[in-house]
Amino acid sequence: MENSVEAIVGDESRRIYEFPVARNSVFLAHAGVAALPRCVADAIVTYTRQSSEHHQEFGTVLGRIEDSRATAAKLIGSSAGEISLLGPTSLGLSLVAEGLTWNAGDEVICYRDDYPANVYPWMGLERHGVKIRFVEVDEPGRITTESVAREITPRTKLVALASCHFLTGWRIDIDAIGALCRERDVLFCLDAIQTLGAFPTTVGNVDFLSADSHKWLLGPLSAGIFFARSEHANRLRPALVGAWNAYSPDFVAQDAVTFPSTGRRYEPGVLNIGPIFGMRAAMEMLLEVGIDNVARRILDLRAHLAERLIALGFELAGPPIGHANSSSITTVSHATRDLAADFAMLEKNGVVASLRRDRQGRSYLRFSPHFYNTHQELDRVVGLLDA
Ligand SMILES: Cc1ncc(COP(=O)(O)O)c(C=O)c1O
């Protein structure tokens, strides 16, 4: 059957079949933890069942794992050899923080109000005398190329940013910031979990990328990808070491520890095979639907929802409707409403959203529709909030 936006959202029985969560709820929390599409659940269940009938590395399993690298590579525009099959996101980010060599006085640029998984690994470098420079923003989450340029000094070694802010939904210009970093001889590390599967997220100008699959990629928890540009293989020491990434013929420890040159060098032990197969099924489905088509669809859904929430008196956080750096994330606050009560009411009525707070303690309702959500579902949410 054809996988396209129109084929799935244009046929309610097909939509519910492919995305069983849509039968039970209006699921609008893809910036949190996604529900698994049927094809993903099936891939995991099939592997799990076969693993009880044979064993966990039976037959062609290891070969199929290698194919999964190629699928991931297609998604981010890298080569298969540059992919490590590692989640969660924080693991890949920490591999970069812990695997590069740092000198006192080196500087790292990151964003203080980013998701903590992309702040703490860099703060941890202060023990080496590394200085953390937080990018200054005019609006929460809005990181521009200029705001990054302002922080770069001759001591800057790495810029570490998320492709999209998890609360406000501002997307960064990955290519422009990457080009700036390259021009200034600075490494660029991308936390891609909030765009991978939803918007084009490619590594032409990126040195390191990490993303778990449990959000926009529609994969299971703790299956993810880590990309390190092949030319950095010698520069990024594997911070985690085991029998699978250090050369161990016949599982005999050698006198010297040597690593392969491919992405396997960052995978210390056996892999999380079932979830990786689930992630691969999700990637294949999204590639078939087309990432540009997904992006177009979810921007349209955001505009539809945001317009109606504003009409109800909510204040839209993040990009104005139609802004080029919008994502699907539709986050609102309200001067007088009790958003915790709204969240609970929605939950009671089968709507899954997210309730978040910022550093100042202000509450927000966050809706994050994916391509299989419908305008009718969004109208139902608006109707509940208008009651
Ligand atoms: C920007 C960002 N990075 C990372 C994560 C998740 O990190 P991990 O996969 O390590 O749990 C989230 C989850 O909300 C996120 O928004």
Side-chain angles (χ1 to χ4, degrees):
M1 256 193 291
E2 186 205 1
N3 274 328
S4 71
V5 172
E6 296 73 27
I8 291 169
V9 300
D11 174 350
E12 186 61 9
S13 57
R14 166 106 198 264
R15 188 178 84 91
I16 283 173
Y17 179 81
E18 303 287 2
F19 296 91
V21 70
R23 184 191 302 278
N24 303 320
S25 57
V26 176
F27 187 84
L28 301 173
H30 297 92
V33 177
L36 300 181
R38 179 176 300 275
C39 65
V40 176
D42 282 352
I44 298 170
V45 168
T46 301
Y47 166 76
T48 306
R49 188 174 317 106
Q50 289 173 339
S51 298
S52 71
E53 291 161 359
H54 307 283
H55 62 87
Q56 294 185 69
E57 289 178 344
F58 67 95
T60 58
V61 161
L62 293 180
R64 284 196 283 140
I65 282 286
E66 292 313 308
D67 296 346
S68 308
R69 291 182 208 279
T71 310
K74 200 164 163 194
L75 193 63
I76 65 167
S78 72
S79 73
E82 293 174 308
I83 299 287
S84 309
L85 295 168
L86 289 177
T89 317
S90 42
L91 179 56
L93 300 175
S94 297
L95 281 173
V96 176
E98 298 302 320
L100 292 171
T101 301
W102 300 97
N103 298 308
D106 286 345
E107 295 179 0
V108 169
I109 296 171
C110 62
Y111 177 48
R112 186 162 180 252
D113 284 319
D114 202 343
Y115 189 75
N118 198 23
V119 182
Y120 293 149
W122 316 116
M123 283 170 59
L125 299 175
E126 285 170 334
R127 72 185 191 280
H128 300 297
V130 172
K131 181 174 173 203
I132 308 303
R133 291 178 75 101
F134 291 120
V135 67
E136 300 279 344
V137 295
D138 296 333
E139 277 181 62
R142 185 177 191 181
I143 297 165
T144 59
T145 311
E146 296 70 40
S147 62
V148 177
R150 276 196 294 273
E151 299 305 323
I152 295 181
T153 77
R155 301 305 307 262
T156 308
K157 182 157 177 156
L158 179 126
V159 168
L161 296 174
S163 51
C164 172
H165 190 248
F166 73 103
L167 178 60
T168 60
W170 279 106
R171 275 187 303 127
I172 64 168
D173 188 337
I174 298 170
D175 283 337
I177 293 177
L180 167 74
C181 289
R182 189 155 293 178
E183 202 183 290
R184 306 289 289 272
D185 203 16
V186 168
L187 294 167
F188 183 31
C189 178
L190 189 69
D191 171 344
I193 193 170
Q194 287 290 4
T195 58
L196 201 58
F199 288 91
T201 305
T202 49
V203 293
N205 291 338
V206 173
D207 295 292
F208 309 108
L209 173 150
S210 186
D212 201 60
S213 68
H214 68 259
K215 298 185 192 289
W216 302 97
L217 215 42
L218 300 172
L221 291 161
S222 221
I225 62 171
F226 172 62
F227 157 84
R229 186 166 289 290
S230 56
E231 70 210 51
H232 298 322
N234 291 329
R235 201 166 177 192
L236 187 70
R237 184 181 48 83
L240 300 173
V241 184
W244 284 82
N245 64 345
Y247 182 60
S248 308
D250 300 321
F251 302 108
V252 172
Q254 305 293 291
D255 293 337
V257 180
T258 51
F259 299 103
S261 57
T262 64
R264 202 62 179 104
R265 76 194 259 109
Y266 303 110
E267 298 166 354
V270 292
L271 296 177
N272 196 12
I273 294 176
I276 289 170
F277 284 162
M279 171 171 74
R280 177 183 171 180
M283 287 175 171
E284 282 171 347
M285 186 257 291
L286 285 164
L287 282 166
E288 232 181 289
V289 171
I291 301 299
D292 286 333
N293 298 328
V294 170
R296 231 186 337 271
R297 166 78 179 173
I298 61 182
L299 287 174
D300 178 55
L301 291 174
R302 180 185 193 259
H304 185 91
L305 179 60
E307 207 173 279
R308 284 156 182 77
L309 292 174
I310 291 168
L312 290 188
F314 286 93
E315 190 184 322
L316 182 65
I321 295 169
H323 194 286
N325 294 86
S326 291
S327 61
S328 152
I329 292 176
T330 314
T331 298
V332 289
S333 60
H334 197 282
T336 53
R337 290 176 77 126
D338 176 351
L339 296 188
D342 282 336
F343 175 77
M345 177 278 292
L346 290 174
E347 196 175 35
K348 215 173 101 216
N349 284 281
V351 176
V352 185
S354 313
L355 181 65
R356 291 289 181 273
R357 260 199 246 241
D358 64 14
R359 188 176 291 280
Q360 289 69 39
R362 185 167 192 192
S363 295
Y364 299 87
L365 273 179
R366 182 184 68 184
F367 302 95
S368 43
H370 214 311
F371 82 91
Y372 67 90
N373 288 118
T374 63
H375 296 86
Q376 290 85 336
E377 287 182 309
L378 302 182
D379 290 344
R380 170 137 188 273
V381 173
V382 173
L384 287 165
L385 289 168
D386 194 22

